Amino acid sequence: AAKQFGIRAVGIEIDPKLIAEAEANALAAGVAELVRFRNEDMFRIDVSEANIVTLYLSDKLNVLLRPKLLRELRPGSRIVSHDFRMGDWKPEQTVRVPWGKMYRTVYLWIVPPRKPRNLT
């Protein structure tokens, strides 16, 4: 996305070896100034500044991460997951994308408006 559209991005990864690989890939792609990678735990970071979150985790981790995303992301923020769903939360859009001789599935959810708190 940084190479094709010039967006700024932050990648979160718990494995330092994958951080080094991502940094090398960004440098080779000529987008190192647009992206940065942080060696952190996705459950402990603050995602409130993001307006798009992309995930490639697992069904189980997506479900565990869902409450945090709904709590911290602003309404209208987009969540995109490669291959894995978010439990019973129905995606806004599902797209099958060619990948070699196979297909992958990409899911899109949009963070809904917050429900007003009952002040009684």
Side-chain angles (χ1 to χ4, degrees):
K3 186 172 185 172
Q4 190 169 355
F5 302 108
I7 67 155
R8 295 195 165 282
V10 177
I12 306 299
E13 174 57 53
I14 202 160
D15 183 341
K17 291 178 186 173
L18 292 178
I19 292 284
E21 184 179 330
E23 288 171 340
N25 289 339
L27 190 60
V31 296
E33 71 284 354
L34 295 175
V35 298
R36 61 189 175 104
F37 302 95
R38 293 169 38 188
N39 181 215
E40 296 190 47
D41 182 330
M42 64 189 168
F43 289 97
R44 296 183 180 194
I45 62 160
D46 177 4
V47 296
S48 63
E49 293 298 314
N51 54 26
I52 300 173
V53 172
T54 59
L55 306 170
Y56 188 47
L57 301 170
S58 69
D59 289 325
K60 181 179 179 179
L61 284 174
N62 280 2
V63 168
L64 291 172
L65 192 57
R66 179 177 153 187
K68 174 185 178 54
L69 295 174
L70 289 173
R71 183 177 59 251
E72 293 183 14
L73 293 172
R74 293 178 302 275
S77 297
R78 292 167 282 176
I79 302 168
V80 179
S81 177
H82 178 173
D83 281 337
F84 302 103
R85 298 182 60 94
M86 290 247 187
D88 62 355
W89 188 13
K90 186 178 181 222
E92 300 282 329
Q93 189 173 1
T94 301
V95 178
R96 289 184 41 86
V97 179
W99 187 69
K101 295 181 180 181
M102 304 183 328
Y103 285 88
R104 304 303 275 225
T105 304
V106 177
Y107 301 97
L108 167 70
W109 295 269
I110 297 176
V111 175
R114 294 198 189 346
K115 294 179 182 173
R117 291 184 174 176
N118 189 351
L119 299 176
T120 59

